[in-house]
Amino acid sequence: MMQLEDIKKIGVVGAGTMGQGIAQISALAGYTVVLYDLQSSALDTAKNNIGKNLDKGIERGKVTAEEKDQALSSIAFTTDFELLKADIIIEAIVERLDVKKELFEKLENQNSDKTILASNTSSIPITRIARDLRHPERFVGMHFFNPAHIMKLVEVISGVATSDDTSKVVYELAKVLGKVPVMAKDAPGFIVNRVARNFYVEGLKVLEEGVSDVKGIDRLVEASGFKMGPFRLMDLIGVDTNFSVTTSMFNAFHQDPKFRPSRIQEQKVDAGHHGRKSGKGFYDYSA
């Protein structure tokens, strides 16, 4: 069984916003990292963004120039799937059960019997993803929050077959990465996304009913003490990602009306208005 001290190399699948953040904090913690993506352009963007994040860390006195150089040199950016061999591999790709299952079956086939496989899924039950693996006891949820290099919380989710040893090692790893881990049992949305769904869904319902506009709703919520209103936060997370999670939870809870996805949000996704990352969401960031 893998022990915390055995972990030297961390694999990250998906070079999007979450994958970038996970790779960055892993490298800063002293681990060798391999960051994989299908698209070389995504890897170029990831390398650039990680560099910018580290520069901001230097400006704030949280990272030294030497630590930045060491971190960047510790990350291998690759489109070669066969290089995804590590002591723990963390997936941060699209929220689709079929895609995740196929990925982990391939990863299991080319890694050792000790390698821990972890999913950053925010809504898909860990037990479902691990069902067809030969070693589901080594599969666990490791749910970071956006932006991963800043947000402290990590949910460590155990599926039905996840061993206590696996969840404990991942829990301790999260602390080494500078995070505050919380153990959670397997359930749709786990803890945070289940509770937060009402924040987004009710905001969208208020918009649908014409009670106020996007800016008005956000201003009121922010004036009440929240750092961001629901629409600014959806734009930051990704309107498409947020919609995907809501849809997943709506189906997982047998179409419970309180999780009903919004048609307004669906139209944003259909239009490609995914928030900050696309330049436009509920707000326009292109200017």
Side-chain angles (χ1 to χ4, degrees):
M1 178 64 207
M2 186 73 67
Q3 302 296 319
L4 179 62
E5 57 268 24
D6 297 326
I7 297 178
K8 309 295 183 185
K9 185 176 183 180
I10 296 177
V12 181
V13 184
T17 303
M18 291 302 292
Q20 294 168 23
I22 296 169
Q24 178 180 323
I25 61 174
S26 298
L28 279 174
Y31 293 101
T32 297
V33 180
V34 55
L35 177 58
Y36 167 85
D37 199 281
L38 288 168
Q39 304 295 329
S40 59
S41 58
L43 293 168
D44 291 339
T45 299
K47 187 172 185 177
N48 184 54
N49 287 344
I50 291 173
K52 288 180 178 178
N53 289 338
L54 292 171
D55 284 338
K56 289 179 182 177
I58 292 173
E59 291 173 7
R60 295 171 182 168
K62 296 183 179 296
V63 179
T64 66
E66 183 179 356
E67 287 173 330
K68 172 194 172 182
D69 293 340
Q70 181 62 42
L72 287 175
S73 66
S74 297
I75 305 173
F77 299 83
T78 184
T79 57
D80 186 350
F81 190 84
E82 292 184 1
L83 294 182
L84 272 174
K85 296 176 183 178
D87 302 310
I88 179 171
I89 301 178
I90 306 167
E91 162 268 318
I93 61 173
V94 64
E95 283 287 274
R96 280 182 49 186
L97 177 62
D98 58 335
V99 177
K100 292 182 188 293
K101 282 173 63 68
E102 181 180 0
L103 169 69
F104 283 113
E105 286 170 22
K106 289 180 179 178
L107 288 172
E108 187 177 51
N109 287 335
Q110 72 177 32
N111 279 275
S112 80
D113 286 341
K114 290 185 177 181
T115 297
I116 293 174
L117 300 177
S119 176
N120 182 59
T121 180
S122 56
S123 62
I124 301 174
I126 298 303
T127 302
R128 290 184 186 175
I129 303 174
R131 186 180 65 183
D132 297 324
L133 294 178
R134 296 193 309 276
H135 297 285
E137 71 277 5
R138 291 189 287 104
F139 186 80
V140 66
M142 193 175 189
H143 181 212
F144 293 81
F145 291 82
N146 188 32
H149 66 288
I150 295 176
M151 299 295 284
K152 290 293 186 181
L153 180 63
V154 170
E155 291 178 312
V156 178
I157 308 105
S158 296
V160 169
T162 305
S163 72
D164 289 342
D165 287 339
T166 296
S167 57
K168 287 175 183 176
V169 169
V170 171
Y171 183 93
E172 292 303 320
L173 174 63
K175 290 199 288 186
V176 174
L177 297 180
K179 301 304 178 183
V180 178
V182 174
M183 290 286 199
K185 292 184 178 179
D186 197 15
F190 316 125
I191 301 171
V192 175
N193 265 311
R194 181 170 178 177
V195 173
R197 213 46 33 199
N198 296 292
F199 183 68
Y200 306 119
V201 171
E202 285 302 321
L204 285 159
K205 284 181 180 178
V206 171
L207 181 64
E208 287 176 347
E209 293 168 6
V211 177
S212 184
D213 59 13
V214 167
K215 290 182 179 179
I217 296 168
D218 275 351
R219 283 199 195 102
L220 178 60
V221 172
E222 289 161 10
S224 301
F226 287 84
K227 187 173 182 179
M228 286 188 180
F231 299 99
R232 291 189 193 282
L233 189 51
M234 280 188 278
D235 275 0
L236 176 63
I237 293 169
V239 179
D240 54 333
T241 299
N242 189 277
F243 178 73
S244 177
V245 172
T246 301
T247 302
S248 176
M249 290 187 63
F250 179 64
N251 293 324
F253 281 100
H254 307 289
Q255 287 74 51
D256 188 327
K258 69 182 179 183
F259 296 119
R260 179 181 62 81
S262 166
R263 178 59 185 157
I264 291 176
Q265 190 178 27
E266 185 176 24
Q267 287 178 329
K268 289 286 183 184
V269 175
D270 290 344
H273 299 168
H274 296 167
R276 288 181 179 272
K277 62 187 177 183
S278 68
K280 190 173 184 178
F282 289 100
Y283 293 89
D284 192 338
Y285 304 93
S286 58

